[in-house]
Amino acid sequence: MRSRKSRFASLLVVLMTSLSTLAFQVPTTSLPSSKSSQRSDPAPIGISSCQNIASPGNYVLLQDLTAPSPCIIIRNVANVNLDCSGHVIFSTGGAPTISVTNSTNVAISGCTAHRSAEDGYALEILTSSSVNVTNNDLEAVHVENDTNVQVLSNRVLGAYYQVSTSGAIVENNDIVAYQDQGGCGGVCSAFGDHNQFLGNRIDGKWNGQLPVVRLGADDGIVLNSEHDDIVYGNVIQNVWDAGIETAGSISNTLIQNNQIQNAGLAGIGAYYDTGWNNNIVSGNQIRDTFVSVYIFFASYPGVPDPPTIVFQNNRIENNVFTSPKFLLGTTSYDNSINIFLVDPVTGVAAIPVVANNNTITNNFLPTYQPGPLLLPSSAFVDGGGNHCGQVRAGSPISCNSVSMMPSNAGIFRSGFLWLLDADGNRQFNAPPDKIYAFGGIAGDIPLTGDWNGSGTTKVGVYRSSNGLFILDYDGDG
């Protein structure tokens, strides 16, 4: 039996060759008249066995269920509310535990749906609209050809897979990958639009072993051929490739204020059939990986190349990259930002390149790591304010060098209070040690450096909420 990963990958290849045939229609909802009479909700309908739900109503699960899947089937119906009341539905078969097909205005809550095998889904939603999935414990979710699905405050074991879906909101979920996940272990969305992925907590379960052992999840969030999406405020950790990865053409998409830690290659990456247009990557905090942003073009296996590599009108701004993994001594992995649309050695592209007006600005990158590698240089604009290490000759941007390595220890507390071991004896004794306030807002990120070139290290903060660097220029606290 093929794994879920291989079946999903096969599905992506098929869809990529027929993307032009997809169309979406978002249903409209009219408000009730103010003269409408008030009606009480119908009495709950108790469920004590696996069954098909084909009529509107409020359904309540009365006991735990174990059966060959599928167990609960919601098909060709509108206005269904399923409340499992914390009960468990355990599936021993290959089909989804809970299935929703060709339905609208469906709500599912309070369910614990698990499976005896990893190959499959606990919840599948197909060709439906206005489905709300809230406060469940689910083992893998598959959503396809849907509109206006909301997946809120669930615990998901495995991953959330979404295909050809528009207007989805995936928010405040805890997603934990299988130890042997292999593929996407968080949110995977392909061939959709106007989707939002907000405030999710994703643990890919990679153990951090280098060279990379491909256990746990490949990536945390994957967007494949999507547009007008928002990826905001997610916390992603322990993946063996990229925290956030894109493939295919991505446009009008915001990737902002995400926290990414312990990724095997990059914080944010794009490799296969890469095309970016009018995207914003802003305010992300990335640590414990090799490269903060790593973008190049590679052919997608089994899919014809696009006629051109398009990379234009994008902004990479106000991102913070700290604690990079050790340098490998190779151009590909050592630069803090690495975007090459042509070969770094020959300057030749695999296919014609249309690239221009991509702005790099106000990023805070390690000074002891080589600065951004950006090719072709004519495609990039220096927006200023970048703090990073040395860039190679001919780079389209310049960097201000800011030290992140203070001579002696210090403590930064509560976003504003500095305690500095000025004499380096690893004890706090003032004087000569110093204590003073500088900063002032929770979430301020501490910095140190010789801001005025006097030879003395000073303090500062980076305020990610607005991209502002606040520096104690003269060192007077």
Side-chain angles (χ1 to χ4, degrees), residues 31-103:
L31 294 175
S33 168
S34 59
K35 297 181 181 180
S36 300
S37 60
Q38 293 184 351
R39 296 184 302 172
S40 60
D41 291 335
I45 303 169
I47 295 177
S48 55
S49 63
C50 295
Q51 61 185 266
N52 293 350
I53 296 177
S55 300
N58 296 325
Y59 295 83
V60 178
L61 188 61
L62 302 178
Q63 64 183 46
D64 295 348
L65 301 176
T66 299
S69 57
C71 182
I72 302 296
I73 301 174
I74 302 170
R75 184 188 297 272
N76 301 328
V77 66
N79 304 318
V80 169
N81 177 34
L82 172 63
D83 180 1
C84 293
S85 300
H87 288 296
V88 176
I89 306 176
F90 187 80
S91 169
T92 59
T97 308
I98 302 173
S99 175
V100 180
T101 304
N102 195 33
S103 298

Side-chain angles (χ1 to χ4, degrees), residues 100-405:
V100 180
T101 304
N102 195 33
S103 298
T104 187
N105 295 328
V106 175
I108 299 172
S109 63
C111 299
T112 297
H114 283 253
R115 307 174 51 78
S116 60
E118 294 181 11
D119 191 21
Y121 308 98
L123 172 64
E124 186 169 66
I125 304 170
L126 305 177
T127 324
S128 297
S129 64
S130 302
V131 179
N132 188 298
V133 181
T134 307
N135 293 322
N136 302 280
D137 187 339
L138 305 168
E139 187 167 358
V141 178
H142 177 211
V143 173
E144 186 169 348
N145 290 323
D146 300 298
T147 57
N148 301 332
V149 172
Q150 295 190 13
V151 180
L152 312 174
S153 302
N154 302 279
R155 184 184 185 276
V156 178
L157 175 62
Y160 172 89
Y161 299 95
Q162 177 174 287
V163 181
S164 302
T165 292
S166 110
I169 299 176
V170 181
E171 182 174 5
N172 193 39
N173 300 283
D174 289 289
I175 304 175
V176 179
Y178 295 119
Q179 290 284 359
D180 58 349
Q181 185 82 29
C184 173
V187 173
C188 311
S189 187
F191 314 118
D193 62 276
H194 295 87
N195 298 306
Q196 301 180 47
F197 310 101
L198 314 172
N200 300 287
R201 295 162 296 279
I202 299 170
D203 185 352
K205 289 297 182 180
W206 177 53
N207 62 6
Q209 182 175 344
L210 293 169
V212 167
V213 176
R214 298 185 175 189
L215 295 176
D218 183 349
D219 310 295
I221 294 178
V222 176
L223 304 181
N224 187 339
S225 304
E226 298 253 322
H227 64 87
D228 296 279
D229 286 353
I230 298 175
V231 181
Y232 184 93
N234 301 282
V235 177
I236 302 166
Q237 61 181 344
N238 305 326
V239 294
W240 51 260
D241 184 10
I244 299 171
E245 181 181 333
T246 75
S249 176
I250 304 295
S251 63
N252 304 318
T253 289
L254 175 68
I255 301 174
Q256 186 175 48
N257 287 5
N258 301 283
Q259 298 179 41
I260 300 168
Q261 181 173 355
N262 193 32
L265 177 56
I268 298 169
Y271 321 132
Y272 294 108
D273 285 355
T274 298
W276 274 28
N277 185 35
N278 200 36
N279 301 308
I280 297 175
V281 177
S282 175
N284 301 284
Q285 297 182 31
I286 301 167
R287 60 175 297 146
D288 298 326
T289 187
F290 287 105
V291 186
S292 62
V293 178
Y294 192 18
I295 298 173
F296 62 93
F297 180 92
S299 296
Y300 197 96
V303 176
D305 287 339
T308 57
I309 300 172
V310 177
F311 197 88
Q312 56 188 4
N313 302 320
N314 303 293
R315 294 185 65 86
I316 297 176
E317 60 187 16
N318 301 326
N319 301 287
V320 176
F321 179 32
T322 59
S323 302
K325 295 186 185 294
F326 56 87
L327 304 185
L328 296 175
T330 62
T331 301
S332 296
Y333 292 167
D334 281 353
N335 296 83
S336 52
I337 293 178
N338 199 335
I339 305 175
F340 55 94
L341 309 174
V342 298
D343 187 278
V345 177
T346 66
V348 177
I351 58 177
V353 174
V354 178
N356 58 75
N357 196 37
N358 300 289
T359 301
I360 312 294
T361 181
N362 288 331
N363 298 286
F364 186 85
L365 309 167
T367 58
Y368 53 91
Q369 182 180 26
L373 174 65
L374 307 169
L375 297 172
S377 59
S378 60
F380 298 90
V381 176
D382 187 355
N386 294 295
H387 296 257
C388 60
Q390 183 176 359
V391 295
R392 77 180 197 171
S395 173
I397 71 167
S398 60
C399 285
N400 299 321
S401 296
V402 180
S403 173
M404 295 172 59
M405 304 292 287

